[in-house]
């Protein structure tokens, strides 16, 4: 990826889906921490969806709530990301979803990339 400096604040890149603006000020684009949290959450959600489908579970929707905690004294380093999945579908089995959550953690490249430096907590509910 190539990033170009914007005249006002931040940087941007062109992707196949359009322009992505990134800046420390959210008036000018996505903040870097938002992209990090989004990457972890959406990677987890995509892997979870794939695992549940392979388990032949009928998923109608997965809603993801992601929150981050940071340590101000350490340059606002993200110390924890909490991901909560709200899963809806037909004949959902709590035990199978628990197994899928374990497989998701093992197979999500973004979770594995931050393992050891950022605590990841994943929870779910069937709605």
């Amino acid at each position: 990826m190539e990033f170009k400096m914007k005249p006002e604040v931040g940087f941007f890149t062109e992707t196949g889906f359009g322009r992505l603006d990134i800046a420390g000020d959210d008036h000018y684009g996505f903040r870097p921490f938002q992209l990090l949290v989004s990457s972890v959450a959406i990677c987890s959600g995509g892997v979870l969806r794939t695992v549940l489908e392979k388990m032949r579970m009928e998923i109608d929707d997965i809603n993801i709530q992601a929150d981050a905690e940071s340590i101000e004294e350490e340059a606002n380093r993200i110390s924890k990301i909490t991901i909560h999945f709200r899963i809806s579908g037909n004949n959902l089995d709590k035990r199978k979803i628990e197994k899928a959550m374990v497989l998701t953690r093992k197979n999500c490249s973004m979770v594995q990339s931050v393992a050891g430096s950022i605590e990841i907590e994943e929870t779910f509910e069937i709605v």
Side-chain angles (χ1 to χ4, degrees):
M1 296 177 80
E2 179 182 3
F3 297 91
K4 297 179 182 177
M5 188 172 81
K6 294 169 38 176
E8 56 282 342
V9 174
F11 295 82
F12 73 93
T13 188
E14 296 290 342
T15 73
F17 297 102
R19 180 173 156 147
L20 176 63
D21 290 287
I22 307 164
D25 181 336
D26 59 11
H27 290 94
Y28 296 96
F30 290 99
R31 295 181 65 199
F33 92 89
Q34 292 171 317
L35 296 173
L36 175 62
V37 173
S38 298
S39 294
V40 172
I42 301 309
C43 178
S44 292
V47 173
L48 178 61
R49 179 182 188 168
T50 299
V51 171
L52 292 173
E53 288 172 350
K54 286 183 178 180
M55 291 178 152
R56 293 182 169 72
M57 300 192 72
E58 294 179 43
I59 305 301
D60 293 331
D61 191 30
I62 299 175
N63 180 282
I64 304 170
Q65 174 66 43
D67 296 297
E69 296 176 19
S70 61
I71 302 172
E72 187 175 335
E73 298 80 21
E74 295 180 19
N76 281 324
R77 177 181 76 80
I78 295 175
S79 58
K80 181 177 182 180
I81 298 174
T82 304
I83 306 168
H84 182 71
F85 300 99
R86 296 185 55 170
I87 305 167
S88 62
N90 296 314
N91 302 316
L92 299 179
D93 183 321
K94 182 180 176 182
R95 287 177 297 207
K96 282 186 178 181
I97 295 173
E98 287 170 349
K99 289 178 184 178
M101 295 287 285
V102 172
L103 290 170
T104 295
R105 176 178 282 271
K106 288 180 183 177
N107 292 289
C108 172
S109 61
M110 294 295 98
V111 169
Q112 292 303 312
S113 293
V114 300
S117 61
I118 298 175
E119 178 185 352
I120 305 294
E121 180 182 307
E122 298 153 317
T123 58
F124 75 91
E125 66 181 295
I126 298 171
V127 294

